[in-house]
Amino acid sequence: MSDARGPNETSTDGAQPGGSEGPGYTTPQAAIEESTPEKVAYVMGLYVGTDVDAPDFLGVVDVDPDSDTYTEVIDRVEMPNRGDELHHFGWNACSSSCHTEGLERRHLVIPGQRSSRIHIVDTNDRRNPELTKVIEPEEVFEHDLSAPHTVHCIPDGNILISMLGDRDGDLPGGFLALDEDFEVEGRWEPPGEIEMNYDYWYQPRHDVMVSSEWAAPKTYYPGFDLDDVEAGNYGQRIHVWDWEDRTVEQTLDLGEEGLIPLEVRFLHSPEATHGYVGAALSSNVFHFYDAGDEWRAESVIDVDAREHEGWEMPVPGLVTDLLVSMDDRYLFFSNWLHGDVRMYDISDPSNPRLADRIWAGGHFGDPAPVQNRELAGGPQMLQLSLDGERLYWTTSLFSSWDNQFYPEEAERGSVMLKADVNPRRGTMQLDEEFLVDFGELPTGPARAHEIRWPDGDCTSDVWQ
């Protein structure tokens, strides 16, 4: 992935690299073979819940080891308002539209979790992107929705965003659709199909989408309270949708082993009917799959809670993010509270095998500093290079939860770390030379959250 236009660029004869007519790659294997190493990363940066009076921003991080500004935040696109809590974000187009002529993966769609404001950023100049449009919260509230979360482009060039609450921050949530000009189209699904919402992933070849559950915004905004778990205010179900009809066909209750199911990942092959969801609080990873006459979900990885001095209860790993490598061979996930990143061989999707893990920060991790920098939090949002050889992560989860479990994060800021991955051997090694310090920014220490690559990545690209 060079800083010049990448594989999405239309050549002078109008043809796209790899034979595609639109953005992205024709297949996951083409993404592996045709991509070049990432040179910049887009990273959410935020000041919500800190003493710094500044707006959240999109950070441009130099990850080119041959660059003079390697590991530095080389540009920041500040949002026009304070208090958005930028969280997850996505592209206007991805490989799902690779045969749609005229589309380009160029604009980032960046929601504010707390504000419900949606920002559109043009990345035509990859190192100096520009904010071009803001959808104000009132336009979202008109559809009785709030708290935007996961952004996916869909094959026709439109954009779909999961919404976690109604206009008042209560349940139910739903989905908001934008058109390719970033105008709000309205609700995507009939209201009332689900109560709770969080992440989702679709597999168009099988006409299916799977969504997960966090809670009502009013429940998780202030921080984590165990009483809310006992009151049933957090989710434990996933929903299997008919993608075309936009209706829920089946709901799977994961039970007490599936408390707070967050990130949803299908395998990348468009033929696959296997996927995973991480249950954060119960710290299990569930494998979901099409059994022919119905969808099923089974817990295939369990992270044991651990005793810790100063905690009244055993500390769960808190599986807060997971991803699947582009070749569908490995599953990676983070245990934010324990402090480790794990790598599993999923050649047999029903029987993941632990391949390797790294400790870095967290309540049980190696306290050793990286580049003389003390680590304030545990591994959280992950992103893997398309060739599967470099795994990156940041350390902030959500401002109020950070302040509860890692209060130092607000004072020191987040870090972005990297591990070198050997896919052939199934091993990882922490890169001791790589550190992006969000605590050393001109405006003050910032939190860092989700990571995206200009040419697509393992947590956003879908194939038809």
Side-chain angles (χ1 to χ4, degrees), residues 243-302:
W243 174 246
E244 290 293 331
D245 288 347
R246 308 180 180 185
T247 55
V248 173
E249 295 293 295
Q250 189 180 349
T251 292
L252 303 174
D253 192 329
L254 307 181
E256 293 186 356
E257 290 188 336
L259 291 172
I260 313 184
L262 296 180
E263 312 304 334
V264 178
R265 314 295 185 207
F266 263 104
L267 298 190
H268 296 286
S269 167
E271 293 287 344
T273 55
H274 298 267
Y276 298 91
V277 59
L281 185 58
S282 49
S283 302
N284 293 328
V285 175
F286 280 77
H287 168 224
F288 60 81
Y289 60 99
D290 183 359
D293 56 345
E294 64 177 3
W295 285 77
R296 297 176 185 169
E298 298 168 351
S299 176
V300 291
I301 301 171
D302 178 36

Side-chain angles (χ1 to χ4, degrees), residues 142-164:
E142 284 181 11
H143 303 280
D144 200 19
L145 293 169
S146 69
H149 190 270
T150 298
V151 177
H152 272 300
C153 42
I154 53 181
D156 60 3
N158 287 7
I159 297 149
L160 187 62
I161 306 174
S162 63
M163 310 291 292
L164 276 54

Side-chain angles (χ1 to χ4, degrees), residues 328-346:
D328 288 338
R329 182 176 177 189
Y330 292 107
L331 171 75
F332 297 83
F333 68 84
S334 56
N335 283 312
W336 186 58
L337 289 181
H338 283 190
D340 57 320
V341 179
R342 296 194 183 190
M343 175 182 184
Y344 281 76
D345 186 325
I346 54 170

Side-chain angles (χ1 to χ4, degrees), residues 354-372:
L354 180 62
D356 203 358
R357 67 175 172 179
I358 286 176
W359 290 95
H363 290 290
F364 297 94
D366 187 343
V370 176
Q371 295 285 302
N372 297 316

Side-chain angles (χ1 to χ4, degrees), residues 96-291:
S96 68
S97 299
C98 74
H99 296 297
T100 304
E101 189 175 2
L103 283 178
E104 182 181 7
R105 184 181 355 230
R106 172 168 167 171
H107 291 89
L108 285 167
V109 180
I110 304 176
Q113 236 295 307
R114 288 184 187 268
S115 67
S116 298
R117 189 172 288 110
I118 301 170
H119 311 83
I120 310 300
V121 170
D122 185 345
T123 67
N124 187 48
D125 183 341
R126 293 185 170 185
R127 297 172 74 91
N128 297 283
E130 295 182 355
L131 179 68
T132 59
K133 180 173 181 174
V134 177
I135 299 172
E136 294 296 339
E138 291 73 19
E139 295 182 66
V140 175
F141 298 155
E142 284 181 11
H143 303 280
D144 200 19
L145 293 169
S146 69
H149 190 270
T150 298
V151 177
H152 272 300
C153 42
I154 53 181
D156 60 3
N158 287 7
I159 297 149
L160 187 62
I161 306 174
S162 63
M163 310 291 292
L164 276 54
D166 67 9
R167 64 165 64 89
D168 298 318
D170 295 313
L171 297 176
F175 291 88
L176 185 74
L178 309 182
D179 67 19
E180 60 183 292
D181 295 320
F182 310 111
E183 298 291 335
V184 175
E185 283 198 333
R187 292 191 78 118
W188 177 80
E189 86 296 1
E193 283 294 293
I194 53 173
E195 281 289 304
M196 295 183 191
N197 203 5
Y198 181 71
D199 192 33
Y200 75 100
W201 195 290
Y202 66 97
Q203 196 73 320
R205 191 168 297 187
H206 297 284
D207 192 25
V208 66
M209 179 177 90
V210 172
S211 66
S212 59
E213 297 185 333
W214 192 3
K218 283 184 176 176
T219 298
Y220 65 80
Y221 275 175
F224 177 74
D225 187 337
L226 197 56
D227 289 342
D228 283 321
V229 178
E230 296 172 353
N233 294 334
Y234 280 104
Q236 60 181 48
R237 301 181 299 175
I238 59 174
H239 307 279
V240 182
W241 295 72
D242 184 307
W243 174 246
E244 290 293 331
D245 288 347
R246 308 180 180 185
T247 55
V248 173
E249 295 293 295
Q250 189 180 349
T251 292
L252 303 174
D253 192 329
L254 307 181
E256 293 186 356
E257 290 188 336
L259 291 172
I260 313 184
L262 296 180
E263 312 304 334
V264 178
R265 314 295 185 207
F266 263 104
L267 298 190
H268 296 286
S269 167
E271 293 287 344
T273 55
H274 298 267
Y276 298 91
V277 59
L281 185 58
S282 49
S283 302
N284 293 328
V285 175
F286 280 77
H287 168 224
F288 60 81
Y289 60 99
D290 183 359

